[in-house]
Amino acid sequence: MAHANEPRFTFGLWTVGNPGRDPFGDAVRPAADPVDTVRRLAELGVYGVSFHDDDLVPPGSTGVERDRIVKRFRQALDETGMAVPMATTNLFHRPVFKEGAFTANDPEVRRLAVAKTMDAIDLGVELGAEVYVLWGGREGCEVDAAKPVADALDRYAEAVDLLCDYVAERGYDLRFALEPKPNEPRGDILLPTVGHALGFIEHLQRPDMVGLNPEFAHETMSGLSFHHAIGQALWAEKLFHIDLNAQRTGKYDQDFRFGSEGIKDAFFTVRLLESSGWDGMRHFDAHPYRTEGEQGVWDFARGCMRTYRLLAEAAARFDADPEVQEAMVVARVPDLATPTAVGDGGPEAIRAHARTIDEPTLAAAHYGNERLDQLVVEHLLGAR
Amino acid sequence: MAHANEPRFTFGLWTVGNPGRDPFGDAVRPAADPVDTVRRLAELGVYGVSFHDDDLVPPGSTGVERDRIVKRFRQALDETGMAVPMATTNLFHRPVFKEGAFTANDPEVRRLAVAKTMDAIDLGVELGAEVYVLWGGREGCEVDAAKPVADALDRYAEAVDLLCDYVAERGYDLRFALEPKPNEPRGDILLPTVGHALGFIEHLQRPDMVGLNPEFAHETMSGLSFHHAIGQALWAEKLFHIDLNAQRTGKYDQDFRFGSEGIKDAFFTVRLLESSGWDGMRHFDAHPYRTEGEQGVWDFARGCMRTYRLLAEAAARFDADPEVQEAMVVARVPDLATPTAVGDGGPEAIRAHARTIDEPTLAAAHYGNERLDQLVVEHLLGAR
Amino acid sequence: MAHANEPRFTFGLWTVGNPGRDPFGDAVRPAADPVDTVRRLAELGVYGVSFHDDDLVPPGSTGVERDRIVKRFRQALDETGMAVPMATTNLFHRPVFKEGAFTANDPEVRRLAVAKTMDAIDLGVELGAEVYVLWGGREGCEVDAAKPVADALDRYAEAVDLLCDYVAERGYDLRFALEPKPNEPRGDILLPTVGHALGFIEHLQRPDMVGLNPEFAHETMSGLSFHHAIGQALWAEKLFHIDLNAQRTGKYDQDFRFGSEGIKDAFFTVRLLESSGWDGMRHFDAHPYRTEGEQGVWDFARGCMRTYRLLAEAAARFDADPEVQEAMVVARVPDLATPTAVGDGGPEAIRAHARTIDEPTLAAAHYGNERLDQLVVEHLLGAR
Amino acid sequence: MAHANEPRFTFGLWTVGNPGRDPFGDAVRPAADPVDTVRRLAELGVYGVSFHDDDLVPPGSTGVERDRIVKRFRQALDETGMAVPMATTNLFHRPVFKEGAFTANDPEVRRLAVAKTMDAIDLGVELGAEVYVLWGGREGCEVDAAKPVADALDRYAEAVDLLCDYVAERGYDLRFALEPKPNEPRGDILLPTVGHALGFIEHLQRPDMVGLNPEFAHETMSGLSFHHAIGQALWAEKLFHIDLNAQRTGKYDQDFRFGSEGIKDAFFTVRLLESSGWDGMRHFDAHPYRTEGEQGVWDFARGCMRTYRLLAEAAARFDADPEVQEAMVVARVPDLATPTAVGDGGPEAIRAHARTIDEPTLAAAHYGNERLDQLVVEHLLGAR
């Protein structure tokens, strides 16, 4: 596999700016100034930043205040050369969204959510965003009787269709990326996995404008393989953005430093991103532990990028190792690209051919997967 | 919600016929004769049976043996009036499929799998099947390096496309239903959830011929809501079949008696099936505990159906309860069917309207979900 | 089994007083006045309340303020007849405890935690508490390198020993109850399950003073059976207190209304508590959904109690049902109380006896567990 | 931390001898001859083997056959210098144990289980075993109504007490190690975690003779930290044996090659074992993938040992790295060994001291955990 050039790393303002509040504890760090964040990240070699509308412009700001904030922020971007490849909307923090946003039972709440997103899209586009992430953290329920799924999906699709219309009407060069999550903060969230979002998109009016923003932690919470999720999203040509972090299965949403948990799945994810030629941002959506102060925040940011690079190097070494290549042949990996069809024939040609196959001989084949996986582990551990 | 008539129950031959072997223990019951199974299930009021090819015709049977077996089986069906609404193929037991079937790395294994399925389709159609289930239990891997996801999905789609071609060429009246599962017997299985399969179908050549066979246990293993999965499948018009059983999250595939675990999710599933007018089979894919002998096997089958009926009755009572209906209004459930769009307007009309909304008032609304869910619990417990 | 009299229900001040903040959202309800809470709960027939020190006396209060608050609170207790059977300390909210409390790496933090607990014990005892709960929510880590387990357990034991000394020196009539939890807010918490805490207690200097406060949600998060946990705690005579709520496996700490999830496990828990003669409080540690206002808060509280009573009634009906009793005999349940020893003999007597056993006959026995469990389900559903 | 000498590796006969049967598939490899296994493992530098009674002596063998088998096996041990440090009993495969073994409801089944274990102990001791593992795979239930927990724990304790008596009467130099597991093959297994077994042991008549055999996969299934489990077992001086393998959380029992999943937890486990001076066997209880033939079986065995050694080396490098040592000081790790007590004082001395602490200053401390954990990751990846 060919491996790509230097990856472009981005961070959300809310990641290094996270004050460390959790369900059982108070903030441990002061709120960060977005302009400071941009400057510090630029010093670390970061390519760009992303934000929720409220991260940059506090809710309730007047138009004048908004413009002043945006001007100052843009100045920092200009000075540092930082980009804003992605933006998003906060539709989860304010009490008005407690019962849902795009799928709230009350139409007025839904209208507020759509309008807030339109404003936030304007803000994102103004700062250069080309991808707009929609994370429906409140789109779900604890009480199934209160949320008929078909109606909720109708409303979800309606909202995304409206936003696509808006972007098309405005002539913005912007695509949407849905971010699936199985639960937390709701008992069950609609579009819980990459798969559910892929299926949903096909029912939209402008499916080409909508893709995915898979997050490592979110798929891993359910015990699903993130690498497989990315594989299917790439196969469907729907990987528009990605959220890299770390998580242990079956736990609360941890958003740990990339590579700090699930390192083997992280390795295969990086290998796939680097070898597929995918040219999107390597975006980190994680936050520092509560034990950290300012120094720890930047250690955290550096660590995300450093581990990504180390995994990319390990993946390149792995793919270049002749012993790996031989083990791939033993495992018949190249043959998976061979069609099942026999020549130009259809099903009957396969049936005729299958009569000639000696099943016991075929069943006796061995695939050397223990050796192949041990080579993965040894490359991962830097032992080859 | 309107509730349907008497449900049509079906069982797989392999369910009541399960001999009780598990990863750590030997068989505890003798193999069942399919004809006996048909007769016993008919006595219990079951509508029909399903089978894997190998359940009915032992692998290695000659053509003459096959025909004799099928004739005797059909006779039992005719005598009892039992139907065969669904059939499927065993692509997981024999060692030749240890590395995969439709997505095996070796093309010869894939051809064998496709040909076996074609033969099995003939058998199913001969006995009346209108739905053909494809469970890809071996389509996955423990070793990610051995199974590039994009290639594997290409092969998966190719196999399903070939089978659709076959059915179309033969003029069979048969639709396919993909059965997702996250893991076991493979470390990770491709198309791990209902969502992933919904997304996959859109990439097939004949997407109309292919839908889903969601299984309660399989979604629940990952901690996902089965009721939500069925909701999205119905919304996408892709619920072609269903596998009812019981499971606890984060455990091995348990396939317990329907309703014996996850009873609240089972309640919402039954309520949705009964009120949606869905006319498919209520199919049980479960097996008796290893502690059971013959008596326990039929207790098990009766229990599956009895609990389904009890849940359907509870759901009907729930929906007819005036207090529930009032709580639904408090929870604003009917309003979820109201479009978000303002009149015939597009996004800008929503934006204009949203400026008139008083957010604090809206945020202060209460939805009475504790009361609504308590009504669910009390109806479920038969206390109302 | 005999079933007990009317259960005594208690609630934490922090449960009905929960303002609905979560990791992604702001408070949705105002802070509750403890005196109002006492009055409202008394009206619902609740037996008593529990509290964290900070729930009652805001941190930073002067001695005069504290005394005034306590006086007013006691007055409300006296007027309503409400008891305070349990109290506890908040060692998790304030930033100083971000790295741990009794097991913080910094000895000064540990001293602060112990001293805060001593003050809180005084407060609890002053208001009548006989059980003191220790939940070590911050005793754990995300970074294993930072927290050597043996040292941490030494410090944990030291802190509990110090607190036992304090109680003994003061002559308080107070026992401690450790509350296990596997994770959240820490990546891994020490003493993650009921079992780990049971093992830990044996290493304390005064093991008789220390028992357990198992919580439904906490065991269930790990997929463990809460009913089994309570069974082992009772067997070890260490069930000093209990936290009743609801939770789905493998998710964030949900603390839902008792019985709203995991209802079968809740049924067996209630049956065990009621039939064992255990005379502790039936304490609810749960909180209302964020969708709720004040009305919903009291619906929530009523629902917890109502479902407990319904389950207790179902359990009593179940145990009184002659068909259940017969199924219990078929399942050989009474024989589990028969010793394995043969007469007064030791191992050799068993060996000699075992030579006379016909294994195939024994292996052919059936236990009727499908029928027995179906009887559970039908009693649970109110269908018998 | 000091690190130990060359570890002594052992394998169960059933690990490399596993024929690859799973719940959905047939055997893919022939049964192994135990003598061949001993020879092959010896060639790989393995220190010893362990076995279940039935692995070595097929059930139903006559006394003469048994003696011939044992003689031939011992000869192979003598020739190769291989040891048998541990033995165990198969109380799960035969149908007679389908409802339980030591906790079966039928006393006759329990007597058979105890007698079988006594015979198996004789066999183990004859071949040199000093640790006897008790894995109660069938001690549990799917149907809670059928298995009162207190009675079951009474019977469990009685069986272990009887076996301790037997060993004491015979004068064998043998200790027992209980192996916890949460589920599979039973819905819930008694003593589901290391903690539950630690608590249970304190209620035995000879607690000194009984310790633990924790298994990586079993703790990990429940999402618990294996490293923490080993930490608590060592702290309680109850780590008598260990089962090393790999597993992903919330899935079926995978028993993968050590280090192939959960590599960070494996790193901390190896670091703890090597630095604690624990002198037990490094025992692998895993099995090769079903894709493997004979070559893959030995690749698997080599891989387990190779990864253990690589992790031990990484741990030694980590502990010797001056930057790590400095980060440990920043994280205040050495201070966790400092008592919380102030001088020789008791609780009141701490209270007095705590009044002098300035909480805001203490709360502002930072612990550098991001940097410390990043150092772990970089050492693990071989990047330092």
Side-chain angles (χ1 to χ4, degrees):
Chain A
M1 294 185 175
H3 286 265
N5 295 327
E6 172 65 356
R8 290 176 295 174
F9 295 120
T10 55
F11 283 84
L13 287 184
W14 68 92
T15 63
V16 290
N18 186 293
R21 189 175 287 112
D22 76 17
F24 298 92
D26 217 346
V28 294
R29 289 183 293 265
D33 173 358
V35 163
D36 284 352
T37 298
V38 164
R39 294 212 170 105
R40 292 301 302 261
L41 288 174
E43 288 166 24
L44 298 180
V46 170
Y47 177 83
V49 292
S50 58
F51 54 81
H52 301 91
D53 48 355
D54 299 350
D55 299 337
L56 185 58
V57 183
S61 300
T62 64
V64 173
E65 285 162 347
R66 176 199 184 278
D67 292 346
R68 192 183 42 76
I69 288 167
V70 171
K71 187 177 170 191
R72 183 171 165 261
F73 188 69
R74 183 198 290 276
Q75 211 164 2
L77 295 174
D78 291 345
E79 285 169 19
T80 56
M82 292 275 275
V84 174
M86 181 273 273
T88 183
T89 325
N90 184 326
L91 296 174
F92 44 87
H93 187 74
R94 284 149 71 171
V96 74
F97 299 125
K98 65 190 175 188
E99 205 272 331
F102 294 160
T103 66
N105 286 359
D106 185 333
E108 292 293 87
V109 175
R110 283 181 254 134
R111 287 162 192 151
L112 208 65
V114 170
K116 186 174 196 289
T117 305
M118 290 164 64
D119 290 347
I121 286 172
D122 291 347
L123 176 66
V125 169
E126 185 177 346
L127 288 161
E130 297 179 351
V131 174
Y132 206 84
V133 164
L134 299 173
W135 174 56
R138 297 278 171 209
E139 318 298 1
C141 58
E142 295 76 40
V143 171
D144 280 339
K147 194 68 67 179
V149 173
D151 287 346
L153 292 175
D154 278 346
R155 294 290 78 73
Y156 215 150
E158 185 190 11
V160 180
D161 286 340
L162 282 161
L163 295 170
C164 287
D165 287 349
Y166 178 69
V167 164
E169 286 168 13
R170 289 283 172 132
Y172 290 157
D173 180 20
L174 190 74
R175 298 189 302 170
F176 291 96
L178 303 175
E179 178 177 327
K181 190 177 184 186
N183 66 84
E184 193 189 349
R186 304 307 303 266
D188 284 292
I189 297 180
L190 294 160
L191 310 182
T193 75
V194 161
H196 294 79
L198 287 173
F200 172 78
I201 289 169
E202 301 301 327
H203 296 264
L204 298 174
Q205 287 172 5
R206 303 178 191 255
D208 291 350
M209 287 181 65
V210 186
L212 283 190
N213 178 43
E215 175 167 326
F216 194 101
H218 296 179
E219 302 302 299
T220 303
M221 286 167 72
S222 299
L224 300 174
S225 161
F226 188 61
H227 159 246
H228 279 214
I230 296 303
Q232 185 166 348
L234 282 169
W235 181 77
E237 300 184 357
K238 285 297 184 195
L239 188 69
F240 286 10
H241 199 260
I242 194 167
D243 272 358
L244 298 170
N245 52 20
Q247 172 76 30
R248 278 172 50 197
T249 291
K251 301 203 173 184
Y252 68 99
D253 187 15
Q254 300 183 308
D255 285 349
F256 287 155
R257 194 179 74 257
F258 179 63
S260 63
E261 300 286 348
I263 201 161
K264 200 180 179 188
D265 202 5
F267 167 82
F268 281 109
T269 298
V270 170
R271 179 173 175 251
L272 183 57
L273 292 177
E274 294 303 303
S275 65
S276 67
W278 185 71
D279 69 348
M281 297 297 121
R282 274 61 177 171
H283 181 257
F284 298 107
D285 181 6
H287 54 70
Y289 307 126
R290 282 180 89 244
T291 49
E292 304 306 287
E294 203 193 337
Q295 178 61 38
V297 168
W298 308 115
D299 289 341
F300 152 84
R302 263 190 300 263
C304 286
M305 295 187 286
R306 169 90 164 123
T307 299
Y308 189 99
R309 285 198 186 95
L310 289 171
L311 293 175
E313 289 166 19
R317 275 199 320 270
F318 176 77
D319 285 321
D321 181 344
E323 195 172 334
V324 167
Q325 290 161 5
E326 192 224 312
M328 289 284 188
V329 171
V330 171
R332 308 292 303 269
V333 176
D335 297 329
L336 187 57
T338 304
T340 303
V342 176
D344 296 337
E348 293 295 357
I350 290 176
R351 174 133 70 179
H353 177 84
R355 291 215 183 91
T356 70
I357 295 174
D358 181 54
E359 181 177 327
T361 303
L362 208 53
H366 303 147
Y367 295 89
N369 280 3
E370 289 287 356
R371 178 185 168 216
L372 179 58
D373 194 68
Q374 182 64 22
L375 286 164
V376 171
V377 170
E378 294 181 15
H379 275 287
L380 194 57
L381 297 178
R384 297 185 73 88
Chain B
M1 292 186 175
H3 286 265
N5 295 327
E6 171 66 357
R8 290 176 296 173
F9 295 120
T10 54
F11 282 85
L13 287 185
W14 68 91
T15 63
V16 290
N18 186 293
R21 189 175 287 113
D22 78 15
F24 297 92
D26 217 347
V28 296
R29 290 182 293 266
D33 173 358
V35 164
D36 284 352
T37 298
V38 164
R39 293 210 170 107
R40 292 300 302 260
L41 288 174
E43 288 166 23
L44 298 180
V46 170
Y47 177 83
V49 292
S50 59
F51 55 82
H52 301 91
D53 49 353
D54 299 348
D55 299 338
L56 185 58
V57 182
S61 302
T62 64
V64 173
E65 285 161 350
R66 176 199 183 279
D67 291 347
R68 190 181 46 74
I69 289 167
V70 172
K71 187 177 170 191
R72 182 171 166 260
F73 188 69
R74 181 196 293 276
Q75 210 163 3
L77 295 174
D78 290 346
E79 284 169 20
T80 56
M82 292 273 275
V84 174
M86 181 273 273
T88 183
T89 325
N90 184 326
L91 295 174
F92 43 87
H93 186 73
R94 284 149 74 171
V96 74
F97 299 123
K98 65 190 173 187
E99 205 273 331
F102 294 161
T103 66
N105 285 0
D106 185 333
E108 293 292 88
V109 175
R110 283 182 252 134
R111 287 161 192 152
L112 208 66
V114 170
K116 186 174 195 289
T117 305
M118 290 164 65
D119 291 346
I121 286 173
D122 292 346
L123 177 66
V125 169
E126 186 177 345
L127 288 161
E130 297 180 351
V131 174
Y132 206 84
V133 164
L134 299 175
W135 174 56
R138 296 281 171 207
E139 319 297 1
C141 58
E142 294 76 38
V143 171
D144 279 339
K147 194 70 67 180
V149 171
D151 288 346
L153 292 175
D154 279 344
R155 294 291 78 73
Y156 215 150
E158 185 190 10
V160 180
D161 285 340
L162 282 162
L163 295 170
C164 288
D165 288 348
Y166 179 69
V167 164
E169 284 169 16
R170 288 282 173 136
Y172 290 157
D173 180 19
L174 190 74
R175 298 190 302 171
F176 291 97
L178 302 176
E179 179 176 328
K181 191 176 183 186
N183 67 84
E184 194 190 348
R186 302 309 301 268
D188 284 293
I189 297 180
L190 295 160
L191 310 182
T193 76
V194 161
H196 294 78
L198 286 173
F200 172 78
I201 288 169
E202 302 300 326
H203 295 264
L204 297 174
Q205 288 174 4
R206 303 177 190 258
D208 292 351
M209 286 181 67
V210 185
L212 283 190
N213 178 44
E215 175 167 327
F216 194 101
H218 295 179
E219 301 303 298
T220 304
M221 286 166 72
S222 299
L224 301 174
S225 160
F226 187 62
H227 159 245
H228 279 214
I230 296 303
Q232 186 167 349
L234 281 169
W235 182 76
E237 301 186 355
K238 285 298 184 193
L239 188 69
F240 285 11
H241 199 260
I242 195 167
D243 272 357
L244 298 170
N245 52 20
Q247 173 76 28
R248 277 171 52 195
T249 290
K251 301 203 173 186
Y252 68 98
D253 187 18
Q254 300 185 307
D255 285 349
F256 287 156
R257 195 178 72 256
F258 179 65
S260 62
E261 300 286 348
I263 200 159
K264 200 179 179 190
D265 202 5
F267 168 83
F268 281 109
T269 298
V270 168
R271 178 172 175 253
L272 183 57
L273 292 178
E274 295 303 304
S275 65
S276 67
W278 185 71
D279 69 348
M281 298 298 122
R282 274 61 175 170
H283 181 257
F284 298 107
D285 182 7
H287 55 70
Y289 307 126
R290 282 180 89 244
T291 49
E292 304 306 286
E294 203 192 337
Q295 179 60 39
V297 168
W298 308 115
D299 289 341
F300 152 84
R302 263 190 301 263
C304 285
M305 296 187 287
R306 170 88 164 124
T307 298
Y308 188 99
R309 285 198 186 94
L310 289 171
L311 293 174
E313 289 165 18
R317 273 198 321 270
F318 177 77
D319 284 321
D321 181 345
E323 196 172 335
V324 168
Q325 289 161 7
E326 191 225 313
M328 290 284 188
V329 171
V330 172
R332 309 292 303 270
V333 177
D335 297 328
L336 187 57
T338 304
T340 302
V342 176
D344 297 336
E348 293 294 0
I350 290 176
R351 176 134 66 178
H353 176 85
R355 292 217 182 90
T356 70
I357 295 174
D358 181 53
E359 181 177 327
T361 303
L362 208 52
H366 302 148
Y367 296 90
N369 280 3
E370 289 287 356
R371 177 185 169 217
L372 179 57
D373 194 68
Q374 182 64 23
L375 285 164
V376 171
V377 170
E378 294 181 15
H379 274 287
L380 194 57
L381 297 178
R384 295 185 75 89
Chain C
M1 292 185 177
H3 286 265
N5 294 329
E6 172 65 357
R8 291 177 295 174
F9 295 120
T10 54
F11 283 85
L13 288 184
W14 68 92
T15 63
V16 291
N18 186 293
R21 188 176 287 113
D22 76 17
F24 298 92
D26 217 348
V28 294
R29 290 183 292 265
D33 172 357
V35 164
D36 283 352
T37 299
V38 163
R39 293 210 171 107
R40 291 300 302 260
L41 288 174
E43 288 167 24
L44 298 180
V46 170
Y47 178 83
V49 293
S50 58
F51 55 82
H52 301 90
D53 48 355
D54 299 349
D55 299 338
L56 185 58
V57 183
S61 302
T62 64
V64 173
E65 286 162 348
R66 175 200 185 279
D67 291 347
R68 190 183 44 76
I69 289 167
V70 171
K71 188 176 169 191
R72 180 169 168 263
F73 188 69
R74 181 197 292 277
Q75 210 162 2
L77 294 174
D78 291 345
E79 284 169 22
T80 56
M82 291 274 275
V84 175
M86 180 272 273
T88 182
T89 324
N90 184 326
L91 295 175
F92 44 87
H93 186 73
R94 285 149 73 170
V96 74
F97 299 123
K98 64 189 175 188
E99 205 272 333
F102 294 161
T103 66
N105 285 358
D106 185 333
E108 292 293 88
V109 175
R110 283 180 254 135
R111 287 163 193 149
L112 208 66
V114 169
K116 186 175 196 286
T117 305
M118 289 164 65
D119 290 346
I121 286 172
D122 292 347
L123 177 66
V125 168
E126 186 177 345
L127 288 162
E130 297 179 352
V131 174
Y132 205 84
V133 164
L134 299 174
W135 174 56
R138 296 280 171 208
E139 318 298 0
C141 58
E142 294 76 38
V143 171
D144 280 338
K147 195 68 67 179
V149 172
D151 287 345
L153 292 175
D154 278 344
R155 294 291 79 74
Y156 215 150
E158 185 191 9
V160 180
D161 286 339
L162 281 162
L163 294 170
C164 287
D165 287 349
Y166 179 69
V167 164
E169 285 169 14
R170 288 282 173 134
Y172 289 157
D173 180 19
L174 190 74
R175 298 189 302 171
F176 291 97
L178 303 175
E179 179 177 328
K181 190 176 184 187
N183 66 84
E184 194 189 347
R186 305 306 303 266
D188 285 292
I189 297 180
L190 295 160
L191 311 182
T193 76
V194 162
H196 294 78
L198 287 173
F200 171 78
I201 289 169
E202 301 300 326
H203 294 265
L204 297 174
Q205 286 172 7
R206 303 179 191 254
D208 291 350
M209 286 180 67
V210 186
L212 283 189
N213 178 44
E215 174 168 327
F216 194 100
H218 295 179
E219 302 302 299
T220 303
M221 286 166 73
S222 299
L224 300 175
S225 160
F226 187 62
H227 159 246
H228 279 215
I230 296 303
Q232 185 167 349
L234 281 170
W235 181 76
E237 301 185 356
K238 285 296 185 195
L239 188 70
F240 286 11
H241 199 260
I242 195 166
D243 273 358
L244 298 170
N245 53 20
Q247 172 75 29
R248 278 171 50 196
T249 290
K251 301 203 173 185
Y252 68 98
D253 188 17
Q254 300 184 307
D255 286 349
F256 287 156
R257 194 178 74 255
F258 179 64
S260 63
E261 299 286 348
I263 201 161
K264 200 179 179 188
D265 202 4
F267 168 82
F268 281 110
T269 298
V270 170
R271 178 172 175 252
L272 183 56
L273 292 177
E274 294 303 304
S275 65
S276 67
W278 185 71
D279 70 348
M281 297 297 121
R282 273 61 175 171
H283 180 256
F284 298 107
D285 181 6
H287 54 71
Y289 307 126
R290 282 180 89 244
T291 49
E292 305 306 289
E294 203 192 337
Q295 179 61 39
V297 168
W298 307 116
D299 289 342
F300 152 85
R302 263 191 301 263
C304 285
M305 295 187 287
R306 169 90 164 121
T307 299
Y308 188 99
R309 285 198 187 95
L310 288 172
L311 292 175
E313 288 165 19
R317 275 198 321 269
F318 176 77
D319 285 321
D321 180 345
E323 195 172 335
V324 167
Q325 289 161 5
E326 191 224 313
M328 289 284 188
V329 172
V330 172
R332 309 291 303 270
V333 176
D335 296 330
L336 188 57
T338 304
T340 303
V342 177
D344 296 337
E348 292 295 359
I350 290 175
R351 175 133 70 179
H353 177 85
R355 293 216 181 91
T356 70
I357 295 174
D358 181 54
E359 182 178 326
T361 303
L362 208 53
H366 303 148
Y367 295 89
N369 280 3
E370 288 287 356
R371 177 186 169 216
L372 179 57
D373 194 68
Q374 183 64 21
L375 286 164
V376 171
V377 171
E378 295 181 14
H379 274 287
L380 194 56
L381 296 178
R384 296 186 73 89
Chain D
M1 292 185 177
H3 286 265
N5 294 326
E6 171 66 356
R8 290 176 295 173
F9 295 120
T10 54
F11 282 85
L13 287 185
W14 68 92
T15 63
V16 290
N18 186 292
R21 188 175 287 114
D22 77 16
F24 297 92
D26 217 347
V28 295
R29 289 182 293 264
D33 173 358
V35 164
D36 284 351
T37 299
V38 164
R39 293 210 171 108
R40 292 299 302 260
L41 288 175
E43 288 167 24
L44 299 180
V46 170
Y47 178 83
V49 293
S50 59
F51 55 81
H52 301 92
D53 49 354
D54 299 349
D55 298 337
L56 185 59
V57 182
S61 301
T62 65
V64 173
E65 285 162 348
R66 177 200 183 278
D67 291 347
R68 190 181 46 74
I69 289 166
V70 172
K71 188 176 169 191
R72 184 171 165 260
F73 188 70
R74 181 197 291 276
Q75 211 162 2
L77 295 174
D78 291 346
E79 284 169 21
T80 56
M82 292 274 275
V84 174
M86 181 273 273
T88 183
T89 324
N90 184 326
L91 296 173
F92 44 87
H93 187 73
R94 285 148 74 171
V96 74
F97 299 124
K98 64 190 175 188
E99 205 273 329
F102 293 161
T103 66
N105 285 0
D106 185 334
E108 292 292 87
V109 174
R110 283 181 254 133
R111 287 162 193 153
L112 207 66
V114 170
K116 186 174 195 291
T117 305
M118 290 164 64
D119 290 347
I121 286 173
D122 292 346
L123 176 65
V125 169
E126 186 176 345
L127 287 161
E130 296 180 352
V131 174
Y132 206 84
V133 165
L134 299 174
W135 175 55
R138 297 280 171 207
E139 318 298 0
C141 58
E142 294 77 38
V143 172
D144 279 340
K147 194 70 66 178
V149 171
D151 287 346
L153 292 175
D154 279 345
R155 294 291 78 74
Y156 215 149
E158 186 190 11
V160 179
D161 286 340
L162 281 162
L163 294 170
C164 287
D165 288 348
Y166 179 69
V167 163
E169 285 169 15
R170 288 281 172 134
Y172 290 157
D173 181 19
L174 189 75
R175 298 190 301 172
F176 291 97
L178 302 175
E179 180 177 327
K181 191 177 183 187
N183 67 85
E184 192 190 349
R186 303 309 301 268
D188 284 294
I189 297 180
L190 295 160
L191 310 183
T193 76
V194 161
H196 294 79
L198 286 174
F200 171 78
I201 288 169
E202 301 300 327
H203 294 264
L204 298 174
Q205 287 172 6
R206 302 176 192 259
D208 292 351
M209 286 180 67
V210 186
L212 284 189
N213 179 43
E215 175 167 326
F216 194 101
H218 296 179
E219 302 303 298
T220 304
M221 286 167 71
S222 299
L224 300 175
S225 160
F226 187 61
H227 159 245
H228 279 214
I230 296 302
Q232 187 167 347
L234 281 170
W235 181 75
E237 301 185 355
K238 285 297 184 193
L239 187 69
F240 286 10
H241 199 258
I242 195 167
D243 273 357
L244 298 170
N245 52 20
Q247 172 76 30
R248 279 173 48 198
T249 290
K251 301 203 172 185
Y252 68 98
D253 187 17
Q254 301 185 306
D255 286 348
F256 287 156
R257 195 180 72 258
F258 179 64
S260 62
E261 300 286 350
I263 201 161
K264 200 179 178 189
D265 202 4
F267 168 82
F268 281 109
T269 298
V270 169
R271 178 173 175 251
L272 184 56
L273 292 178
E274 295 303 304
S275 65
S276 67
W278 186 70
D279 69 348
M281 297 297 122
R282 274 60 177 172
H283 181 257
F284 298 106
D285 182 7
H287 53 72
Y289 307 127
R290 282 180 88 245
T291 49
E292 304 306 287
E294 203 193 337
Q295 178 61 37
V297 168
W298 308 115
D299 289 342
F300 152 83
R302 263 190 301 264
C304 286
M305 296 187 287
R306 171 88 164 124
T307 299
Y308 188 99
R309 284 198 188 95
L310 289 171
L311 292 174
E313 289 165 19
R317 275 199 320 270
F318 176 77
D319 285 320
D321 181 344
E323 196 173 334
V324 168
Q325 288 162 6
E326 191 225 313
M328 290 284 188
V329 171
V330 172
R332 309 291 303 269
V333 177
D335 297 328
L336 187 56
T338 304
T340 303
V342 176
D344 297 336
E348 293 294 0
I350 291 176
R351 176 134 68 179
H353 176 85
R355 292 217 181 92
T356 70
I357 296 174
D358 181 53
E359 182 177 326
T361 304
L362 208 52
H366 302 149
Y367 295 90
N369 280 2
E370 289 286 356
R371 177 185 170 218
L372 178 57
D373 195 68
Q374 183 65 21
L375 286 165
V376 171
V377 170
E378 294 182 14
H379 274 287
L380 194 56
L381 297 178
R384 296 186 74 89

